[in-house]
């Protein structure tokens, strides 16, 4: 019988082999801890991705180092499974496991260098919410990253155009006032998370007993 680590490695390798890009495709990337993935993530990827006429959007779970805070971590296998469940009914979405395969060693700029080498004909668009876009100046090697990928941010409908230090394409799209932090807190407090996460994700959280002991702020 395979160990959990062996199972995870096999799953990540299989997912990596599924992510293939032929020709000059337009690829969106949505990175995050997805701890857990929620409907806000899906809405951002769908609305912004379709508005930009992307060919597909990759959900790219980050490695532990980038979001770890005491009490917030769950095993990678759970985060990965929740993303799989969240996107399973939308062929526009794929999982990009590259950062999970390389553990704590990578920053976003490292991943983008790899994708640009592997898929030289593709155009990459890094998708994010307005809050992340306004913190781009804090990202590792932001100057180099800005040369590798187009930054695209979701602007809530009817709000003023935010200002950023780095070039960002703003796409006006519906938003949902949900967060992974709040969802973990609600699970911890035995409150409903229905209509905040996909039903399959809610069922998985319940079945695995996730977030019952701590919720943190990551």
């Amino acid at each position: 019988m395979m160990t959990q680590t062996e199972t995870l490695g096999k799953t990540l390798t299989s997912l990596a082999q599924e992510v293939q890009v032929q020709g000059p495709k337009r690829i969106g990337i949505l990175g995050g801890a997805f701890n857990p993935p929620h409907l806000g993530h899906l809405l951002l990827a769908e609305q912004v991705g379709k508005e930009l006429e992307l060919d597909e959007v990759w959900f790219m779970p980050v490695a532990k180092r980038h979001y770890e805070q005491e009490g917030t971590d769950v095993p990678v296998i759970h985060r990965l499974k929740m993303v799989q469940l969240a996107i399973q009914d939308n062929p526009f979405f794929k999982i990009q496991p590259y950062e999970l395969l390389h553990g704590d060693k990578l920053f976003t700029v490292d991943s983008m260098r790899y994708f640009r080498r592997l898929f030289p004909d593709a155009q990459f668009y890094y998708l994010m919410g307005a809050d992340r876009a306004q913190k781009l100046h804090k990202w590792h090697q932001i100057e180099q990253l800005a040369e590798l990928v187009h930054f695209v941010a979701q602007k809530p409908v009817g709000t003023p155009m935010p200002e950023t230090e780095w070039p960002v394409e703003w796409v006006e799209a519906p938003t949902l006032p949900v967060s992974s932090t709040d969802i973990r807190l609600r699970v911890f407090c035995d409150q409903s998370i229905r209509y905040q996460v996909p039903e399959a994700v809610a069922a998985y959280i319940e079945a695995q007993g996730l977030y019952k002991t701590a919720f943190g702020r990551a």
Side-chain angles (χ1 to χ4, degrees), residues 32-35 61-76 79 100 103-107 181 184 214-218:
F34 302 119
N35 187 30
V62 299
K64 177 179 176 180
R65 177 190 61 191
H66 299 285
Y67 74 94
E68 182 185 17
Q69 182 174 339
E70 185 176 357
T72 68
D73 192 24
V74 297
V76 168
R79 289 198 289 129
L100 294 182
D104 295 345
K105 301 176 182 178
L106 297 180
F107 288 93
T181 298
R184 293 195 301 272
F215 59 91
R217 290 188 56 81

Side-chain angles (χ1 to χ4, degrees), residues 183-198:
I183 291 168
R184 293 195 301 272
L185 174 58
R186 295 185 68 82
V187 174
F188 179 74
C189 295
D190 292 322
Q191 297 176 340
S192 173
I193 58 172
R194 193 176 187 184
Y195 307 126
Q196 296 189 41
V197 300

Side-chain angles (χ1 to χ4, degrees), residues 121-168:
D121 296 327
Q123 297 182 54
F124 291 98
Y125 300 78
Y126 200 95
L127 313 184
M128 65 191 81
D131 55 341
R132 294 191 74 189
Q134 292 174 303
K135 297 177 182 178
L136 281 172
H137 61 282
K138 297 182 179 180
W139 288 35
H140 182 68
Q141 295 184 5
I142 181 60
E143 296 90 348
Q144 292 89 334
L145 179 59
E147 296 177 355
L148 296 169
V149 66
H150 302 282
F151 296 122
V152 182
Q154 176 188 39
K155 185 180 82 66
V157 176
T159 62
M161 188 70 70
E163 294 184 3
T164 59
E165 297 182 29
W166 293 91
V168 173

Side-chain angles (χ1 to χ4, degrees), residues 2-206:
M2 289 192 297
T3 66
Q4 187 175 82
T5 299
E6 291 171 335
T7 300
L8 174 62
K10 184 176 180 180
T11 300
L12 292 174
T13 300
S14 176
L15 287 170
Q17 293 171 345
E18 293 176 7
V19 182
Q20 298 295 326
V21 179
Q22 301 294 332
K25 285 191 174 182
R26 295 160 57 87
I27 309 296
I29 299 178
L30 182 63
F34 302 119
N35 187 30
H38 53 66
L39 295 182
H41 294 132
L42 301 180
L43 185 63
L44 188 162
E46 173 72 16
Q47 296 292 322
V48 175
K50 293 298 185 181
E51 181 68 23
L52 292 176
E53 298 183 344
L54 302 181
D55 293 294
E56 57 194 46
V57 173
W58 296 349
F59 282 65
M60 185 168 70
V62 299
K64 177 179 176 180
R65 177 190 61 191
H66 299 285
Y67 74 94
E68 182 185 17
Q69 182 174 339
E70 185 176 357
T72 68
D73 192 24
V74 297
V76 168
I77 191 70
H78 291 314
R79 289 198 289 129
L80 181 63
K81 183 62 177 179
M82 286 189 288
V83 175
Q84 288 179 303
L85 292 170
I87 71 173
Q88 62 185 350
D89 63 348
N90 191 336
F92 182 51
F93 298 154
K94 293 183 178 180
I95 295 178
Q96 172 51 262
Y98 181 71
E99 293 196 356
L100 294 182
L101 277 167
H102 292 80
D104 295 345
K105 301 176 182 178
L106 297 180
F107 288 93
T108 303
V109 67
D110 301 313
S111 301
M112 290 312 309
R113 288 188 182 113
Y114 173 77
F115 297 148
R116 289 291 298 270
R117 289 195 303 269
L118 191 62
F119 308 117
D121 296 327
Q123 297 182 54
F124 291 98
Y125 300 78
Y126 200 95
L127 313 184
M128 65 191 81
D131 55 341
R132 294 191 74 189
Q134 292 174 303
K135 297 177 182 178
L136 281 172
H137 61 282
K138 297 182 179 180
W139 288 35
H140 182 68
Q141 295 184 5
I142 181 60
E143 296 90 348
Q144 292 89 334
L145 179 59
E147 296 177 355
L148 296 169
V149 66
H150 302 282
F151 296 122
V152 182
Q154 176 188 39
K155 185 180 82 66
V157 176
T159 62
M161 188 70 70
E163 294 184 3
T164 59
E165 297 182 29
W166 293 91
V168 173
E169 180 175 354
W170 292 92
V171 175
E172 189 170 77
T175 60
L176 291 176
V178 297
S179 74
S180 296
T181 298
D182 182 63
I183 291 168
R184 293 195 301 272
L185 174 58
R186 295 185 68 82
V187 174
F188 179 74
C189 295
D190 292 322
Q191 297 176 340
S192 173
I193 58 172
R194 193 176 187 184
Y195 307 126
Q196 296 189 41
V197 300
E199 290 185 10
V201 172
Y204 186 85
I205 290 172
E206 177 66 24

